[in-house]
Amino acid sequence: MTNFKKIELGKINEIKNKEQGKIFIHDELNLTSCEVSINCSKKGFKVPFLHKHKNNEEIYIFLKGKGIMEIDNEKIEVKEGSIVKIAPPAIRTMENASDEDLEYIVIQAKENSLEGYTMTDAEIV
């Protein structure tokens, strides 16, 4: 048994041609601690619903383009380099507000579940 798993998604801008421009990688990598999606939204795309979570916070990491997130009725602009953390009960949606693709990664993890990170979890061997 190996201690790692690798997948190839191809070019991120090609993800826009998949369903809703999103690929979840939980199943492909057998993740046990979080859900991760790789996203590429076309010009003019808007998430067609509002949503919130029961337990998971979400972290949005924007790689390319510009967008508008609506979180609890507040609109915020996001762009390449923006990172947004959203608590589970916040009601959210977002849209691509630029003339180019909006590329971003979303990480979902159970709020308050992190027990160790970086130097508190790593061991130099």
Side-chain angles (χ1 to χ4, degrees):
M1 180 175 151
T2 177
N3 288 322
F4 68 92
K5 186 170 183 179
K6 176 186 173 188
I7 61 173
E8 296 289 343
L9 296 177
K11 295 182 178 185
I12 292 179
N13 69 351
E14 293 174 1
I15 292 171
K16 67 185 170 196
N17 299 319
K18 307 252 185 225
E19 183 179 342
Q20 300 267 340
K22 177 183 295 265
I23 294 177
F24 289 101
I25 62 172
H26 175 269
D27 292 339
E28 286 82 1
L29 288 177
N30 303 87
L31 298 176
T32 62
S33 61
C34 64
E35 172 63 285
V36 178
S37 66
I38 311 300
N39 305 266
C40 183
S41 301
K42 297 177 185 178
K43 173 184 171 183
F45 176 79
K46 182 173 181 174
V47 175
F49 54 84
L50 295 167
H51 79 285
K52 63 181 180 176
H53 287 270
K54 296 176 185 175
N55 298 302
N56 293 342
E57 64 187 12
E58 288 184 318
I59 301 92
Y60 289 74
I61 304 169
F62 292 90
L63 306 172
K64 181 181 174 188
K66 295 179 183 177
I68 298 173
M69 298 189 81
E70 184 177 327
I71 306 166
D72 289 338
N73 295 315
E74 182 177 340
K75 292 186 178 187
I76 61 168
E77 293 182 7
V78 293
K79 63 182 192 276
E80 180 178 334
S82 297
I83 301 173
V84 180
K85 177 214 154 194
I86 305 175
I91 297 172
R92 67 205 78 166
T93 191
M94 70 178 256
E95 65 184 278
N96 182 343
S98 68
D99 290 332
E100 62 181 330
D101 294 339
L102 179 61
E103 297 178 2
Y104 56 101
I105 297 169
V106 181
I107 302 167
Q108 282 186 44
K110 186 174 181 182
E111 187 176 47
N112 298 314
S113 66
L114 186 62
E115 295 180 6
Y117 58 93
T118 315
M119 296 309 291
T120 63
D121 186 57
E123 295 178 11
I124 297 175
V125 293

